[in-house]
Structure formats: C-alpha cells, structure tokens
Amino acid sequence: MMESVLSYVVWSPHPAVFSGFERLRWYSLLFALGFIISQQIMMYIYRKEGHDERLVDRLTIYMVLATILGARLGHVLFYEPDKYLSNPIDILKVWEGGLASHGAALGILFALWLYARKTPGQNYLWVVDRIVIVVAMTGAMIRVGNLMNSEIGGKATGTDSGFVFARDAEEILETLKLPLQEVKAYKPTDRTDELQGNGIVPVNFDLRVAKGGYEEVELNEAIARDVKYALTRFRSSQKYLAEDSASPLDFSVADKGDHYLVTVRTFGIAKYPTQIYESISYFVIFLALYFGWRKYQARIPEGLYLGIFLVSVFGMRFIWEFMKEVQVDFEESLTFNMGQALSIPLVLAGIALIIYSIKKGTPPYAKPSGRVES
C-alpha cells in the first residue's frame, strides 16, 4: 500500500473541461469559481458583522480587475519585461498565459485602498483583513488550475516518486503528420523491473493510428523516425522525458482491425507536484483564517489578518520555490529565484503589520455606516 502511494504518477489531463470544447478550461473554470465562492463568503462576512452586503458587488468588481491587471503587469515587469515592453500589444494577450501572484497581491492591496476611499464607512484594514480569507482559498483553486494545465511544476525528485508531466509530449505527438486518432500517456504496469530509484521512470505512449494512410512497413519507419524526433528534440520533451537520443525507439505496432495501435516505451522524469503542495498550503491557511474570524470577528486587531496572510502565504511560497523549476531563464543565475525575491519584502511587511496590530489591540466596536451609493 505504501509503495503504491509513494510511486510515481503519469500526469496528462486535458486542460479543457469538456473534450471537443476547448474554450472552457479547468484553469479558467477554477479561477472563476474562486471569485464566485469568495463573493458568497464575503457577503456572509459583511452580513454577520453588520455591514451592507450589497457593497460586496462593488468590492468584487475591484477584486476581479485588480487580480487580472495586477497579475498580468506583475508577470510583465518581474519576469519578462524585455519581451513585453518591446511588443506592448502582447501584454493584452492574457489568454496566452503569464500571471504573477505577487503582482496580483500588490494590485489587490491598491484596489482595496481605492475601494475603501470611495466607499463611505469602509475601513481599509477592516476590508483587507476579511478579503485575505477568501484570497487564500482562491489561490488554492488557481494552483489546482495550474496542475490541470501541467504548468509551474517542480524540479526532479531524484527518486521514483513524483509526477511525470506528459501532456506537452502528447500535444507534440498530436502534431505529427500521421493519421492519429488518439495519443495517450500512461504508467505501464509491466515495466516495474526497469525502476532504478533515480527518478527516471517508465512511461508508455499509446498512439491510435487510422488505417489507409500507411502500410505497416511505412508506419514502422515513420514512427521510428518522427516519434523519436518528437521525444528527443523538443525542449518540453527534454524537460519532462528521458528518452535516450542515441538508441533506437522502443515501440511495437499491433493491428487492431480498423486501426493500428502503436505502443511507445520510453522514460519520464519524476518531478515534485508543487502545485499540490501550494494548493494544500493555501487551503489550510484559508481554513485557519476563516475559523479564526468565525470566533473573533470584530475583535480581530486591524491589520492582523493581513499580516498573518502575508507571512504565511508568501512564507510558504518562499519554501516551495526551492522545489520548483525556474519560470524564466535568467533565474538560473540567481541565489533566490524571482518568486522568492518578491516574497521576502511581503513577509517582512507582514511581520511589521502583526507587530503593529498587536500593539494597537482590539478595535473599538462600532456599527458601520457604509451604504451602497446609487
């Protein structure tokens, strides 16, 4: 049982929620659900503390815009400024990826300052202390979205435990000039004797090939040549797979009547599923903050929750970054990668806020006067 739990996983889910409908993706769905659930929780918080829950609609607009704009600009400025500043129009192409959580955090803090300033009866620190509860939950859901996209993964574990991210290789194989009907990566059950304990683990790819385009001899030649090239020459294949470029491709072809089934036997690199580690961390932080709020509510010193959020979320981010692969090439030469460097000042700011809030003590209870402006 324990051996099964600690063994590796070949991870290759399709990023789309429904096969054949590419527009709805797991990342987008989880991102949106995070805001929808957050809005409901914030309405409950506002209602329980005597605030006008209709203000949450306005607050949600600020949050959505701040998260998207802040995360996008954060990625542009922190990770790839040369690329985007030389082609500014690409900044608008959010659908191509490139969102930074540190940028989102800064954007949210600024947007909530604007919200509190423009909304009578809304104290900035009171709002922020409540919003970080749901931000932690949304962060957990977004990391699950990253996992479904097979992105922002970890370094090689060096053991036979971990995730082999095979989705990129599947997509490369699907582009081959073969009459492919399906490509599927999986963990073979008959190759356990090939495990060496070094993190290079067996992975199979099944290719369903339609008949008619190739004779079996021609198909063998095409597979040996084109699949070998796909598994060894592309950067993403080299990143996640360990196919020996010097040896012939290990594969077999079976005639299944109306199609050929090609089974390719190769190797993958077991990596840390850091998306899961981060998601669990943020969800635990959400639960701690939420149940803490349920107990203390108005007695929470102003700024305390924001401080705890900054220390815990970005403190955990700093730790998990040691296991994560760098996002951009220039990070290779850094002692701490960009995610860690950006986390340090936020953790320090959180410590300062905790000290400040404890010294200031519990705020005097007062009924809010905020109402929705027409």
Side-chain angles (χ1 to χ4, degrees), residues 9 26-27 53 133 140 143 162 170 174 180 232 240 268-269 288 298 352 370:
V9 173
W26 284 110
Y27 183 89
E53 64 187 75
I133 300 172
R143 281 295 178 254
E170 285 183 346
E174 288 169 355
L180 291 170
T232 57
Y240 298 117
I269 304 171

Side-chain angles (χ1 to χ4, degrees), residues 334-350:
L334 300 178
T335 302
F336 296 127
N337 65 30
M338 182 58 71
Q340 291 174 311
L342 294 171
S343 294
I344 292 172
L346 293 175
V347 170
L348 294 177

Side-chain angles (χ1 to χ4, degrees), residues 261-328:
L261 180 64
V262 180
T263 299
V264 178
R265 291 172 287 274
T266 185
F267 292 89
I269 304 171
K271 302 203 171 190
Y272 293 108
T274 49
Q275 307 97 323
I276 297 176
Y277 304 160
E278 283 195 78
S279 182
I280 292 174
S281 299
Y282 300 158
F283 190 70
V284 169
I285 293 168
F286 157 69
L287 291 177
L289 293 175
Y290 177 73
F291 286 108
W293 169 82
R294 285 284 299 268
K295 182 174 182 179
Y296 296 105
Q297 295 190 21
R299 290 177 289 163
I300 297 172
E302 290 182 352
L304 179 63
Y305 259 35
L306 174 58
I308 293 173
F309 173 86
L310 292 174
V311 171
S312 58
V313 167
F314 291 104
M316 292 307 302
R317 173 72 183 270
F318 184 89
I319 293 171
W320 296 134
E321 288 291 330
F322 284 111
M323 295 184 178
K324 290 168 68 173
E325 291 186 318
V326 297
Q327 301 302 303
V328 287

Side-chain angles (χ1 to χ4, degrees), residues 61 70 76 99 118 132 161 178 189 192 214 233 239 267 285 298 301 312 327 337-338 350 367:
I61 295 173
V76 169
L99 300 175
K118 293 178 177 293
V132 295
S161 298
L178 293 169
T189 58
T192 55
Y214 286 87
R233 297 301 181 89
K239 182 178 180 181
F267 292 89
I285 293 168
S312 58
Q327 301 302 303
N337 65 30
M338 182 58 71
K367 282 284 185 180

Side-chain angles (χ1 to χ4, degrees), residues 4 18 21 80 91 98 167 191 201 204 211 222 265 274 282 298 301 353 356:
S4 175
F18 302 109
F21 185 65
E80 297 183 283
I91 297 175
R167 181 60 195 169
R191 298 176 60 193
V201 296
N204 283 9
K211 282 190 172 181
R265 291 172 287 274
T274 49
Y282 300 158
L353 271 170
Y356 162 80

Side-chain angles (χ1 to χ4, degrees), residues 2 8 247 339 372:
M2 184 57 67
Y8 69 98
S247 62
V372 175

Side-chain angles (χ1 to χ4, degrees), residues 4-15:
S4 175
V5 171
L6 296 178
S7 188
Y8 69 98
V9 173
V10 176
W11 184 254
S12 62
H14 198 288

